[in-house]
Structure formats: structure tokens, C-alpha cells
Amino acid sequence: MPKLPEDCQTMADVREGVDALDRELVALLAKRFGYMRAAARIKPTRDAVRDEARKASVIAAAVAEAEAAGIPGDVVADIWERLVEGSIAYEFGEWDRVRA
């Protein structure tokens, strides 16, 4: 089990922690994309896939969480922009796939 960041003494400790966390993040992203598959199945029209108000809300919430956690909101905004756009593209593909 990796050490907590505050307990790391070497770069090997840091890298072990980062690698473990990256695996967890990918697992969480897989779960998030599962929700995109569900959305694609549930939304009645292809036009419903892109929702700019929801996109803005999701990004703003992530930035607020980041800032509350003391990490850079602008970096999180950039990451979430890509995540949400990638999710929308994935959802479009799934929407088309389930109706093919």
C-alpha cells in the first residue's frame, strides 16, 4: 500500500503513490463513462446529448471543489473541460450505437 503524501521520504514513495492513484482515477473514469452510457440510453433525442448549461455547472462545481481542497481551480477547469467534452463525444457515439 502506498504511503500518504505527507509520509513520503523518497521519489520512489511518491511515484508509487502517484501510480496507485492513477489506477484509482482510471477506475473512477470507467465508472463515470458508465454513467455516460446510461445517459445515452435514457436521453430521448440526440439533441439532448449536448447540454451546455449542464456542462458549465459540472465544470463550475469541480472548480469550487478544487479551490475548497486548496488545489488550482484553473487547472481543474482545464481538465474538466476536456473530460466533459470527451464524455459528450463518447455519449454521442453510444447514443448512435444503441439506436443502430
Side-chain angles (χ1 to χ4, degrees), residues 31-82:
K31 187 173 182 179
R32 190 182 197 286
F33 275 82
Y35 285 109
M36 297 304 95
R37 285 190 299 278
R41 176 176 41 82
I42 293 166
K43 289 182 180 175
T45 65
R46 197 172 196 277
D47 290 342
V49 172
R50 178 170 286 282
D51 181 342
E52 290 297 328
R54 173 67 178 155
K55 175 185 170 181
S57 173
V58 167
I59 294 170
V63 169
E65 287 288 329
E67 290 172 349
I71 61 174
D74 60 334
V75 173
V76 169
D78 288 345
I79 293 167
W80 253 254
E81 172 70 27
R82 178 66 183 110

Side-chain angles (χ1 to χ4, degrees), residues 77-92:
D78 288 345
I79 293 167
W80 253 254
E81 172 70 27
R82 178 66 183 110
L83 174 61
V84 173
E85 280 300 319
S87 296
I88 290 168
Y90 180 78
E91 189 179 330
F92 271 124

